[in-house]
């Protein structure tokens, strides 16, 4: 959790993630039932109340760069949950410098993650110590560098073995948690 009280959950760009016309993107920002490296599991239906409240007030989930509220980079035209998770579809804004950069970085394979910014409304721990998120208040979906769900990725460009990417992601995640003062998982 950061100083704003928002939590972040990362998911790699899955095989269903796509970029069309150089700036239209779609894919899953969260996957139901999958434990991330922080021990959290988003449960099916967790976004329902939040999405309904946003729709009632004609609000939108924001598209940000690396969770920075000062750097919106596009518009999510569609945000919905289905049986698999939280599906998003939107447009990177090419009139925004970071939007152009995001298009180039995704195309080159340098950016391959999505992350949700949310507040936990209802959660409980299971016998494995995992936090089961049954209701969350969704604020934003960001394009990010390092996802927490290594199995949900777009194909990485180059010939590096998948295990190396997984190890790098785990090491960077541990460093991020250490800097945030989060004790290591046992």
């Amino acid at each position: 959790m950061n100083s704003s009280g928002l939590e972040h959950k990362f998911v790699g760009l899955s095989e269903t993630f796509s970029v069309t016309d150089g700036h239209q993107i779609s894919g899953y920002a969260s996957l139901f039932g999958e434990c991330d490296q922080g021990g959290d599991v988003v449960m099916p239906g967790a976004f329902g109340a939040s999405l309904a409240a946003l729709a009632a007030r004609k609000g939108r989930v924001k598209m940000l760069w690396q969770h920075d509220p000062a750097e919106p980079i596009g518009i999510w035209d569609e945000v919905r949950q289905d049986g698999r998770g939280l599906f998003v579809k939107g447009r990177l804004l090419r009139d925004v410098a970071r939007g152009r950069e995001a298009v180039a970085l995704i195309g080159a394979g340098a950016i391959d993650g999505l992350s949700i910014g949310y507040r936990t409304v209802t959660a409980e721990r299971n016998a494995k110590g995992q936090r089961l998120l049954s209701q969350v208040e969704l604020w934003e979906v960001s394009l990010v560098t390092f996802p927490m769900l290594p199995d949900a990725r777009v194909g990485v460009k180059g010939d590096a073995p998948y295990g190396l990417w997984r190890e790098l992601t785990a090491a960077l995640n541990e460093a991020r948690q250490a800097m945030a003062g989060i004790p290591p998982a046992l």
Side-chain angles (χ1 to χ4, degrees):
M1 191 174 315
N2 61 29
S3 61
S4 70
L6 285 183
E7 297 177 73
H8 301 129
K9 179 161 299 307
F10 304 90
V11 66
L13 302 179
S14 69
E15 69 280 356
T16 61
F17 181 84
S18 65
V19 179
T20 55
D21 295 332
H23 72 286
Q24 295 181 356
I25 60 175
S26 62
Y28 283 88
S30 180
L31 298 171
F32 293 141
E34 296 205 15
C35 185
D36 70 16
Q37 294 176 7
D40 288 346
V41 179
V42 178
M43 303 305 294
F47 299 102
S50 180
L51 293 176
L54 275 170
R57 68 175 189 266
K58 298 189 184 339
R60 293 191 118 163
V61 173
K62 304 298 183 197
M63 181 192 297
L64 302 179
W65 177 254
Q66 307 283 357
H67 296 295
D68 186 343
E71 295 210 49
I73 59 168
I75 303 292
W76 292 119
D77 296 312
E78 181 180 352
V79 180
R80 63 176 166 78
Q81 63 181 352
D82 60 21
R84 185 171 183 199
L86 182 70
F87 179 82
V88 294
K89 181 178 180 180
R91 298 167 278 136
L92 293 164
L93 299 176
R94 291 183 284 194
D95 292 337
V96 174
R98 282 280 193 230
R100 288 188 303 276
E101 291 173 18
V103 169
L105 291 166
I106 290 169
I111 291 289
D112 65 353
L114 290 174
S115 177
I116 60 173
Y118 65 97
R119 279 188 174 56
T120 300
V121 177
T122 307
E124 61 183 48
R125 294 225 181 253
N126 66 12
K128 297 177 185 176
Q130 298 167 328
R131 193 168 66 139
L132 307 178
L133 306 176
S134 55
Q135 185 178 355
V136 298
E137 180 184 4
L138 182 65
W139 282 57
E140 53 95 1
V141 177
S142 287
L143 276 90
V144 297
T145 307
F146 299 108
M148 286 182 73
L149 287 174
D151 292 336
R153 287 193 169 273
V154 71
V156 178
K157 294 194 177 216
D159 296 323
Y162 177 74
L164 179 61
W165 290 110
R166 177 176 244 166
E167 289 172 28
L168 176 61
T169 300
L172 289 168
N173 207 20
E174 285 177 27
R176 180 187 57 81
Q177 289 176 340
M179 290 181 350
I182 300 169
L186 299 177

